[in-house]
């Protein structure tokens, strides 16, 4: 397996409930390393830019409002097959369908308030990481 990097956001529903540490414990317990992390308050422009791929979808405005409602924690994760591994660790988008022990099964409130975001491909991971981090902030 190749060492990869992927991107993660701990979303507003999780930061509001002060469960960042619990989520990080699941990430690290799965063998992924957190090599960059910062807590930020997204601006509307940042949220709209990050989620631009969804701009024509009916839920776009609601998604942006949710993502700017509380601080988020953005992260770069590293490990063997990191993109697929983190997708597995996150669990299904709908927490009712997520496997036991996954972040969403353990911590998500709903499909919309599902606690975390993760890149869906290596290409998107690279784009998403560069959206939030400079190279000198990633200290793996």
């Amino acid at each position: 397996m190749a060492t990869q990097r992927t991107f993660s956001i701990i979303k507003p529903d999780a930061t509001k409930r002060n469960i960042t540490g619990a989520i990080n414990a699941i990430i690290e317990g799965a063998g992924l390393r957190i090599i960059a992390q910062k807590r930020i308050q997204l601006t509307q422009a940042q949220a709209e830019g990050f989620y631009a791929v969804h701009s024509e979808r009916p839920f776009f405005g609601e998604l942006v409002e949710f993502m700017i409602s509380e601080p988020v924690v953005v992260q770069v994760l590293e490990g063997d097959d990191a993109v697929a591994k983190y997708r597995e660790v996150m669990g299904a988008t709908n927490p009712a369908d997520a496997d036991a022990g996954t972040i969403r099964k353990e911590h998500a409130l709903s499909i919309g308030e599902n606690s975390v975001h993760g890149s869906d491909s290596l290409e998107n991971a690279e784009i998403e990481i560069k959206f939030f981090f400079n190279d000198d902030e990633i200290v793996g």
Side-chain angles (χ1 to χ4, degrees), residues 61-118:
E62 185 178 322
L63 174 61
V64 169
E65 287 302 312
F66 168 63
M67 291 303 292
I68 66 173
S69 67
E70 298 282 337
V72 298
V73 175
V74 292
Q75 303 173 309
V76 180
L77 310 178
E78 186 175 77
D80 289 337
D81 202 19
V83 172
K85 173 58 99 176
Y86 189 51
R87 307 261 331 144
E88 178 183 317
V89 168
M90 287 190 307
T93 302
N94 183 346
D97 298 333
D99 291 338
T102 62
I103 294 168
R104 290 178 173 153
K105 186 64 159 187
E106 303 303 319
H107 298 293
L109 299 174
S110 66
I111 293 174
E113 293 181 307
N114 62 21
S115 299
V116 288
H117 161 87

